[in-house]
Amino acid sequence: MNPLRHRRAVPAALAAVALAAALLSPAAGASANALRDIDVGGTDPTGVWSDGTTMWVADDSNDKIYAYDLTTGERTSDSDIDTLDDAGNDKPGGLWSDGTTMWVSDGWDEMISIYAYDLATGARKGTDDFYAWILGDADNLSPKGLWSDGTTMWVSDLADGKIYAYDLNAKSRQPSKDLNTLKNAGNSRPAGLWSDGTTMWVSDEYDDKVYAYELSTGDRLGHLDFNTLSGTDNSRTDDLWSDGTTMWVSDRGDDKLYAYTMPGRTHLQSLELDGTDLETFDPASEAFDPSDTDYAVRAPSTTAMTTVTASALYSDAEVSISPTDEDTSTDGAQISLVAGENTITVTVTRGSHTQTYTVVVTRSNLAVIRNDATLSALALSDVDIGTFDSATAHYTAGVASSVATTTVTAQSTDTGATVTISPDDADVGADGHQVVLDEGLNTITVAVESFDTTVNKTYTVVVARASTEAFRWAVLSDIDGLAEGNRMPRATWSDGTTMWVTDLSGALFAYDLATGAHDSSKDITTLADAGNHNAHGLWSDGTTIWVSDDRDQKLYAYNLATGVRDTSKEFYTGVDNRALQSDARLEGWNWVPKGLWSDGTTMWVSDPKNNIKIFAYDLATGDMDSSKEIRTLCSIWSLDPRASDNCHPAGLWSDGETMWVVDTMDKKLYAYDLDTRERQAHLDFDGLSDAGNNSPKGSWSDGTTMWVLDHHKGRIYSYNMPGELEEQ
């Protein structure tokens, strides 16, 4: 017998006595335990952690961690941590501590993703921080929940639907320990984390439940889920913590920590037929999962009997198999199979709790099971999808505007399998399956059903067809696939030959504009040494390149050819640097400098937060020139009746007459007359989402093509510029 699960012990240093008692006692189920609820009224509880005596609760409204007595729920303010605001930890999320250091996630901070503090004093422990570039390098861009076994730190990602793993001490990635199964379970917005060292429980921001997974494999353990949250009005779940007996779940809607009794453990560790797992018995079936209680498998006509072997996770549980064992002298339950369906049940009993697993075995009239649903070949005329691999189900490709149709050819591995191509054949009179390609994204699917109809597999090809129309997606000029280290891009600028791209790791990466190839010889790697960690805007006159930093409220300057810093050309923009600025600039409060563009005399700088407008500075002196500001962006902030809905400005580019402003939320480029500040709506780029460019940041144009960086996808999309910029 080869068990499909291995349960490892909880590290002794982290295991509470209450946890050990809970694992050995009869199961109680994931029921509400209102007597242990904790009222944290007046807070916005985004994170929780306890040492078994004090419960710490993060509040992202007040940038503070409050302390409560775990038993009574009373405030113990002497244990509060109130140093978050001074540290810049403005959006505290998940919490975890080893009893000495408290780690606090911040999904909005673009410099530090996980802050560290001394638990006893609240003092900062910067050497234990996880910098944003570390998480960003793994695409862990929206960190939330935290949990660690003292060696590995697991971090949930709200946007990515995944849990990433890092070495707690070295701050390096441990991808082999990632949990990648959350999205398939419906746990698409994972928030809080807590584990007993064996099972990982994960709350969901949009779902009234707590999901359970095997920590070592990521496999679902649905029978250990908490499904009763909605019944207690615990509808805005966030972080989790448990002492092994009770699970506390924070709720941001009613400022409360709800308490639940931990679930019981009446499930199988393994279930096998004929000494093999279910997947091997019938390759079309799913492998055994303790959280899945129903299986349907097939056997060839030559299989007249099967041996069923099952083992429970805990030795005090009883396992019974039905139908009755036909040969008690041999290991396992011997069960005859008749032609057609055979139902086998396996029941686990532990105390007063039971769990029943059902396997329906269909004995076929075929001596060989033909359940292959793969393709051996897939090709599209005039479309390069790269090398086809039957195990790879998704492909992407781009084509010129002239390619209006493609012929899809697909061959199944088993000639008896059924192949269905979608969309339908556009020209049944022509050879092959014809698909019309619209401008933009086209999704083509090839569905394969096995000969015995038990297995289905779908292959998908997404073809992007270029447009020749102004403001539309040019496709073939995209730069797709940034360098390995360029995982947190924010802005772009080009001299017409090379495209430079910022990265929050403290570098500018260079790419050949025509081919998209990385040209490391032109990289500028001196930003980190300068302290320029939050690089968001980029502009150059061909000799000096200026880089905005929204944390330092400053424009740094470097020699474009050598990367050497030129402090003589740098200037501050923010009020926090008042000692270094003139009073005139203080009035501007350009606290969050983002996109940059200059005509060589004036530097325009976008700000999306405190003063939503585009500031203007004399490039030579750094003095503010309010007469050239563009204040017509956001109607929520501006009193100017001409103001639009451009309330999240980022990248800037202008041809000297029109200023285009990227809006990160509206997913478009707004256009303004640079002199009059009037909107030029007919010159907007509003088709970014059609191209999948849903996280736009930086932009640059050569006058013919507009490139727009997508900072989540690590792709620079290209769009056609208008030929004639005429008034409507």
Side-chain angles (χ1 to χ4, degrees):
M1 182 175 68
N2 298 313
L4 300 181
R5 292 285 180 276
H6 172 65
R7 315 290 280 186
R8 59 187 179 86
V10 181
L14 300 175
V17 173
L19 176 59
L23 297 180
L24 296 174
S25 62
S31 56
N33 189 354
L35 294 177
R36 303 198 73 184
D37 288 353
I38 299 176
D39 188 347
V40 292
T43 70
D44 193 3
T46 53
V48 295
W49 183 84
S50 176
D51 60 1
T53 302
T54 300
M55 175 70 84
W56 282 271
V57 181
D59 177 1
D60 82 345
S61 294
N62 297 307
D63 304 343
K64 187 173 179 178
I65 299 175
Y66 295 89
Y68 300 81
D69 185 284
L70 182 63
T71 302
T72 67
E74 297 294 327
R75 284 277 284 117
T76 54
S77 56
D78 289 346
S79 297
D80 289 353
I81 299 176
D82 58 4
T83 53
L84 277 65
D85 191 45
D86 291 340
N89 191 181
D90 299 329
K91 288 291 182 181
L95 305 180
W96 185 82
S97 175
D98 59 3
T100 301
T101 301
M102 175 71 85
W103 282 271
V104 185
S105 69
D106 191 319
W108 291 81
D109 198 303
E110 293 183 309
M111 183 174 179
I112 300 173
S113 290
I114 304 174
Y115 286 78
Y117 304 85
D118 185 283
L119 181 62
T121 67
R124 284 282 284 119
K125 299 180 69 175
T127 56
D128 289 324
D129 289 347
F130 284 75
Y131 281 95
W133 68 266
I134 298 172
L135 275 67
D137 209 32
D139 286 335
N140 188 183
L141 302 173
S142 300
K144 185 63 177 73
L146 307 176
W147 187 82
S148 175
D149 60 3
T151 301
T152 298
M153 175 72 86
W154 282 270
V155 183
S156 67
D157 192 293
L158 272 175
D160 203 19
K162 178 177 175 178
I163 300 174
Y164 294 81
Y166 305 85
D167 185 291
L168 180 63
N169 294 317
K171 310 297 185 290
S172 56
R173 284 280 286 126
Q174 294 183 324
S176 64
K177 295 183 178 181
D178 289 353
L179 274 67
N180 300 296
T181 54
L182 278 63
K183 281 186 178 179
N184 290 338
N187 189 185
S188 57
R189 295 281 293 181
L193 304 178
W194 186 83
S195 176
D196 59 8
T198 300
T199 300
M200 176 72 84
W201 281 272
V202 185
S203 65
D204 192 287
E205 188 179 55
Y206 292 160
D207 204 352
D208 302 338
K209 69 181 291 182
V210 177
Y211 294 78
Y213 305 86
E214 181 82 29
L215 180 61
S216 60
T217 65
D219 291 340
R220 280 284 283 126
L221 301 174
H223 56 294
L224 298 180
D225 289 351
F226 289 76
N227 295 299
T228 57
L229 274 60
S230 58
T232 60
D233 295 325
N234 189 186
S235 58
R236 292 194 63 193
T237 60
D238 217 308
D239 208 5
L240 313 170
W241 186 83
S242 176
D243 61 3
T245 302
T246 301
M247 175 75 82
W248 283 269
V249 183
S250 67
D251 190 295
R252 300 182 67 177
D254 50 16
D255 302 345
K256 187 175 182 178
L257 307 187
Y258 287 83
Y260 303 86
T261 301
M262 290 292 283
R265 308 292 183 88
T266 53
H267 64 271
L268 291 176
Q269 182 179 38
S270 66
L271 174 59
E272 303 173 351
L273 277 69
D274 278 340
T276 64
D277 59 55
L278 296 172
E279 193 174 31
T280 305
F281 183 76
D282 175 6
S285 75
E286 297 180 356
F288 174 68
D289 181 343
S291 65
D292 189 351
T293 58
D294 295 291
Y295 297 88
V297 297
R298 292 172 62 85
S301 60
T302 53
T303 303
M305 177 173 284
T306 185
T307 301
V308 180
T309 307
S311 65
L313 175 61
Y314 294 100
S315 59
D316 61 345
E318 296 181 0
V319 177
S320 59
I321 300 173
S322 178
T324 305
D325 186 358
E326 298 176 25
D327 185 357
T328 58
S329 65
T330 59
D331 291 337
Q334 312 300 313
I335 298 175
S336 295
L337 300 177
V338 299
E341 291 188 355
N342 300 261
T343 300
I344 300 171
T345 61
V346 181
T347 303
V348 185
T349 302
R350 189 168 180 238
S352 61
H353 299 274
T354 62
Q355 180 83 274
T356 299
Y357 295 81
T358 302
V359 183
V360 177
V361 181
T362 301
R363 184 180 173 193
S364 173
N365 60 357
L366 299 173
V368 177
I369 299 297
R370 295 178 64 180
N371 52 20
D372 191 328
T374 63
L375 291 177
S376 59
L378 175 62
L380 283 72
S381 64
D382 300 316
V383 179
D384 182 8
I385 66 169
T387 303
F388 173 73
D389 183 341
S390 63
T392 302
H394 188 78
Y395 299 85
T396 59
V399 297
S401 177
S402 58
V403 181
T405 62
T406 185
T407 302
V408 182
T409 304
Q411 177 61 55
S412 59
T413 304
D414 183 341
T415 56
T418 302
V419 177
T420 304
I421 300 172
S422 180
D424 293 337
D425 192 344
D427 186 357
V428 294
D431 292 338
H433 189 103
Q434 310 297 314
V435 174
V436 175
L437 299 177
D438 297 324
E439 290 186 346
L441 296 173
N442 299 266
T443 300
I444 300 170
T445 61
V446 181
V448 186
E449 183 179 62
S450 63
F451 177 78
D452 63 5
T453 72
T454 63
V455 183
N456 293 276
K457 184 178 178 68
T458 300
Y459 295 85
T460 303
V461 182
V462 178
V463 181
R465 181 187 169 204
S467 173
T468 57
E469 296 181 17
F471 311 111
R472 309 306 292 176
W473 190 14
V475 178
L476 298 181
S477 295
D478 287 6
I479 296 178
D480 187 14
L482 299 183
E484 183 63 27
N486 197 183
R487 304 304 296 274
M488 294 182 287
R490 291 297 184 271
T492 62
W493 182 84
S494 176
D495 61 3
T497 302
T498 300
M499 175 77 82
W500 282 269
V501 180
T502 65
D503 192 89
L504 295 185
S505 63
L508 303 183
F509 289 79
Y511 301 86
D512 186 286
L513 185 62
T515 67
H518 178 212
D519 184 354
S520 59
S521 68
K522 294 183 179 179
D523 287 353
I524 297 177
T525 59
T526 52
L527 277 67
D529 291 339
N532 188 186
H533 293 290
N534 274 41
H536 276 273
L538 204 58
W539 185 83
S540 176
D541 59 5
T543 301
T544 301
I545 192 160
W546 283 266
V547 184
S548 67
D549 190 301
D550 70 349
R551 170 72 65 173
D552 294 346
Q553 302 160 359
K554 179 176 180 178
L555 269 61
Y556 288 82
Y558 307 87
N559 183 285
L560 182 62
T562 65
V564 175
R565 186 178 174 189
D566 186 350
T567 57
S568 68
K569 296 181 179 179
E570 296 178 352
F571 59 91
Y572 288 91
T573 65
V575 70
D576 285 350
N577 295 288
R578 63 182 66 218
L580 301 175
Q581 302 178 79
S582 67
D583 291 340
R585 247 179 290 143
L586 285 178
E587 297 173 1
W589 291 20
N590 187 186
W591 285 3
V592 188
K594 294 284 189 181
L596 304 179
W597 184 81
S598 177
D599 59 4
T601 301
T602 300
M603 176 70 83
W604 283 269
V605 184
S606 67
D607 190 314
K609 290 193 176 180
N610 300 288
N611 289 287
I612 305 174
K613 63 181 179 180
I614 300 175
F615 290 79
Y617 301 87
D618 184 289
L619 183 60
T621 65
D623 290 331
M624 179 178 289
D625 185 352
S626 58
S627 68
K628 294 183 179 180
E629 290 180 352
I630 301 178
R631 304 174 184 174
T632 51
L633 273 65
C634 181
S635 58
I636 297 173
W637 177 85
S638 177
L639 298 177
D640 194 312
R642 300 172 298 169
S644 63
D645 296 322
N646 187 186
C647 297
H648 303 88
L652 305 177
W653 188 83
S654 176
D655 60 0
E657 297 180 0
T658 299
M659 174 73 83
W660 280 273
V661 183
V662 173
D663 192 292
T664 58
M665 297 299 289
D666 290 350
K667 305 166 189 175
K668 67 182 287 182
L669 273 65
Y670 287 82
Y672 302 84
D673 185 288
L674 189 59
D675 291 328
T676 67
R677 285 65 143 180
E678 296 281 353
R679 280 279 285 119
Q680 294 183 305
H682 65 289
L683 297 179
D684 289 352
F685 287 78
D686 56 9
L688 273 63
S689 12
D690 294 339
N693 189 183
N694 294 318
S695 301
K697 281 281 188 181
S699 59
W700 183 84
S701 176
D702 61 0
T704 301
T705 301
M706 175 71 81
W707 283 270
V708 181
L709 168 71
D710 189 298
H711 74 101
H712 274 169
K713 293 185 176 177
R715 179 173 184 153
I716 306 174
Y717 288 79
S718 57
Y719 303 89
N720 300 314
M721 288 286 286
E724 296 292 335
L725 306 183
E726 297 178 351
E727 297 289 338
Q728 263 192 337

